[in-house]
Amino acid sequence: MSALNSPEAVVATDRIADEAAGTERYGTRRRRRPPFRFTPGKVVLWVLVILFTLVFMYPFAWLLAASLKPRGQVFDNKLIPETFVWSNYADVWEQLPLTSWLFNSLAIALLAASTVAVSSTMVAFGFAHFRFPGRNALFGLVLGTMMLPGAVTMVPTYLIWKEIGLLGTWAPLWAFNLFGSAFYIFLQRQFLLGLPRELFEAARMDGANYWRIFWRIVMPLSVPSFIIVFLFEFQASWNNLQAALIYLNAGGVEDFTAPLGIAYAMTRYSPTAGGHGDYQYVMVASLLVTLPMLVLFAFGQRYFIEGIATTGRKG
């Protein structure tokens, strides 16, 4: 038998043919991607995706264009300015105390997001791990607090902070997060239910107390859902105009948060209030306030998707 007709040669020839075809019979099988085909359904889907993308991107594009226009052309609704005024981005820092507003918003948002994420995870760990009488009823009571509109608790909350003497400070904008949030407790509990109880039982057998279990096991394993809670609350605090309007409006302009500062700038530049209509600075400030959230979600996108995908599971 010649070398070309030997079993080894036949096997080698088949292997080369399979690899050339994009598959492999031996070892790991390789799958060749099917060619992309335009079907009516895919065409409609792509048209809808592009259409909705343009719709959602239009306000941001309009804001970007308005921030580069002179005073008289801000509201001409043109996405390409006739005259580009790049100096708006330099002059806004002199016209408005934007640095103080951004610092205040960042500090308050970090305090609010970090405290509510930790406290909600603690409460969720208690509901997910411990077995005690009335646990389900108590958890239902916690969820029932979400049914109360914010307008119902606004006045009592204000009176509480007034009696404590913390009006005009940052405390009303983040301190309540020390006690957790019903929605975030529910979100974290669903994630923690997917963790095997054997981990906690093994840690208890090794002599770890519940506080150590929480920080050494629960927190590292719940990073995806923890970041979801952090991002949600950071965004909510960053865009919170109502609370800042109630508790910080009596202070100085430098004490405002970014949303309250932009609202103040709209009033300051209004011709009805004696302004000259310099709304281009408001557009620049609005754009700069939006950028931190875009960066935050860009860096947290991987954890955001992972947390959303795994939060609903229950082990």
Side-chain angles (χ1 to χ4, degrees):
M1 180 181 298
S2 64
L4 295 177
N5 294 329
S6 63
E8 293 80 7
V10 174
V11 170
T13 303
D14 292 342
R15 185 187 296 272
I16 294 174
D18 289 340
E19 291 179 354
T23 62
E24 186 176 355
R25 295 181 183 176
Y26 308 94
T28 304
R29 180 177 294 275
R30 299 178 182 176
R31 294 182 179 181
R32 183 173 56 181
R33 292 183 179 180
F36 183 81
R37 297 178 181 178
F38 285 97
T39 61
K42 290 183 179 180
V43 172
V44 173
L45 179 61
W46 277 101
V47 170
L48 290 177
V49 169
I50 295 174
L51 178 62
F52 280 104
T53 301
L54 293 177
V55 170
F56 283 105
M57 287 297 297
Y58 175 78
F60 186 80
W62 186 94
L63 181 63
L64 178 61
S67 66
L68 294 172
K69 296 177 182 179
R71 178 175 59 189
Q73 302 176 8
V74 173
F75 297 107
D76 60 4
N77 292 327
K78 294 181 180 180
L79 295 182
I80 300 179
E82 296 180 359
T83 304
F84 287 87
V85 184
W86 300 100
S87 59
N88 290 341
Y89 284 85
D91 296 339
V92 68
W93 304 98
E94 301 177 359
Q95 295 290 330
L96 301 171
L98 191 57
T99 304
S100 299
W101 295 349
L102 291 174
F103 174 78
N104 295 339
S105 291
L106 180 62
I108 294 173
L110 287 176
L111 287 172
S114 57
T115 52
V116 79
V118 174
S119 59
S120 298
T121 305
M122 288 182 179
V123 179
F125 174 63
F127 281 118
H129 178 70
F130 296 104
R131 302 290 188 265
F132 54 89
R135 184 188 66 163
N136 294 334
L138 184 59
F139 183 66
L141 183 62
V142 172
L143 295 182
T145 60
M146 292 192 299
M147 307 302 173
L148 292 175
V152 174
T153 59
M154 183 185 304
V155 175
T157 302
Y158 178 86
L159 294 178
I160 291 174
W161 292 118
K162 181 181 179 181
E163 291 297 327
I164 298 176
L166 294 178
L167 293 181
T169 65
W170 289 358
L173 279 70
W174 68 270
F176 263 131
N177 289 345
L178 291 170
F179 306 98
S181 170
F183 174 71
Y184 298 144
I185 291 172
F186 169 77
L187 195 70
Q188 289 288 70
R189 175 181 176 271
Q190 293 303 112
F191 182 88
L192 295 179
L193 286 175
L195 300 180
R197 293 182 59 86
E198 291 78 6
L199 290 174
F200 309 129
E201 295 173 356
R204 288 292 295 169
M205 293 180 63
D206 290 339
N209 55 27
Y210 292 116
W211 185 252
R212 187 179 182 87
I213 290 175
F214 176 79
W215 287 108
R216 301 299 294 271
I217 297 178
V218 174
M219 288 299 293
L221 293 179
S222 61
V223 167
S225 61
F226 184 89
I227 293 180
I228 290 296
V229 173
F230 186 90
L231 291 177
F232 281 171
E233 185 62 24
F234 190 95
Q235 182 188 30
S237 178
W238 184 267
N239 298 327
N240 192 355
L241 171 63
Q242 179 177 328
L245 187 63
I246 294 174
Y247 297 107
L248 298 179
N249 197 26
V253 177
E254 290 78 10
D255 298 330
F256 290 173
T257 59
L260 182 59
I262 292 175
Y264 160 80
M266 288 290 295
T267 304
R268 172 184 173 183
Y269 294 124
S270 175
T272 58
H276 300 286
D278 294 315
Y279 291 112
Q280 71 274 15
Y281 300 125
V282 180
M283 303 306 165
V284 174
S286 301
L287 182 63
L288 295 178
V289 168
T290 306
L291 294 180
M293 292 308 308
L294 297 178
V295 174
L296 185 65
F297 275 93
F299 280 100
Q301 183 179 11
R302 179 170 65 90
Y303 296 100
F304 186 85
I305 297 174
E306 182 180 354
I308 290 295
T310 57
T311 295
R313 69 184 183 184
K314 179 179 179 180

